[in-house]
Amino acid sequence: MPDYRRLYRPGGTYFFTIVTRHRNPILEGAQNVGILREAVRTVRNERPFEVCAAVILPDHVHFIWALPEGDTAYAARIGRVKILFTQFSRRIAPTPADLSGSADRHRESGYWQRRYWEHVIRDEDDFQHHLDYIHYNPVKHRYVGCPHAWPHSSFRSWVGKRVYERDWLCKCGGGIIRPPTFDEITRSVGE
């Protein structure tokens, strides 16, 4: 079994990738996106943190979170988001039934992969690189042709903060876009 080691930086800013079990597209409907947002809001109320950026795709989510000074408990927050999503979802539909014995022993719901990926943001350039990755991700996976066209993203918020132009990497006008390369991130998150 691999030896997983997580890096905990008190008050750090982290990039996360959380993937659905078997890459099932459980987040493709607006209802489940709303349930995930409700779960994140609830956890933020319980244990405050800042959601700096996010994108919700049908089978995975990317976040950049900033924790409060001295706090390292991102694992507890991610676990709680998964639990709340499962609890809120069960109000609407039964849990997926394809659980293995191991998943059952670990009290897993059937919605999420057991593990997730995290990366400590090192500096402003690293933050911007991961921010770009998050906002370009729906285009990379061919859900839309332009970042502004994906509804479940923090892109519009960052346009409002004047970090991006609305037409950042946009093909709407028929222009040819040279997509950025995210090889380092892609290798580390398993995409």
Side-chain angles (χ1 to χ4, degrees):
M1 179 180 205
D3 182 20
Y4 293 99
R5 296 186 183 185
R6 302 223 182 261
L7 179 59
Y8 297 97
R9 179 176 292 160
T13 300
Y14 296 87
F15 167 82
F16 299 106
T17 300
I18 306 169
V19 181
T20 64
R21 185 171 173 78
H22 303 302
R23 291 254 180 196
N24 289 329
I26 63 170
L27 300 171
E28 68 185 349
Q31 185 174 31
N32 281 353
V33 169
I35 290 170
L36 180 63
R37 287 180 171 155
E38 182 183 351
V40 171
R41 258 191 313 276
T42 300
V43 173
R44 287 181 66 203
N45 288 334
E46 295 170 355
R47 300 182 88 156
F49 64 95
E50 179 185 358
V51 177
C52 302
V55 66
I56 303 170
L57 299 169
D59 63 355
H60 67 286
V61 181
H62 297 294
F63 290 113
I64 297 177
W65 290 356
L67 299 183
E69 184 88 21
D71 193 333
T72 62
Y74 64 79
R77 287 173 171 92
I78 289 174
R80 184 81 173 125
V81 166
K82 289 178 176 182
I83 287 167
L84 288 173
F85 177 87
T86 299
Q87 289 173 349
F88 297 160
S89 295
R90 284 183 179 154
R91 295 179 199 161
I92 298 159
T95 302
D98 65 339
L99 292 181
S100 67
S102 173
D104 193 44
R105 281 189 304 279
H106 286 91
R107 299 179 317 164
E108 293 173 353
S109 69
Y111 288 113
W112 302 103
Q113 283 186 8
R114 183 176 301 164
R115 308 255 184 240
Y116 57 89
W117 290 270
E118 94 283 340
H119 166 80
V120 176
I121 301 294
R122 297 179 301 264
D123 55 30
E124 287 184 33
D125 288 341
D126 195 34
F127 183 90
Q128 185 64 52
H129 192 61
H130 283 82
L131 193 67
D132 292 350
Y133 180 80
I134 283 174
H135 295 132
Y136 190 72
N137 211 249
V139 178
K140 174 186 169 238
H141 288 288
R142 297 185 177 147
Y143 291 116
V144 291
C146 306
H148 70 83
W150 189 249
H152 312 300
S153 163
S154 57
F155 181 73
R156 281 173 219 66
S157 170
W158 286 93
V159 168
K161 295 175 186 177
R162 299 179 186 257
V163 171
Y164 296 107
E165 295 295 322
R166 184 186 179 281
D167 62 354
W168 179 73
L169 298 176
C170 183
K171 297 178 186 177
C172 291
I176 297 173
I177 302 301
R178 185 167 188 220
T181 59
F182 298 107
D183 296 338
E184 179 184 315
I185 297 172
T186 302
R187 278 191 302 276
S188 69
V189 299
E191 286 194 326

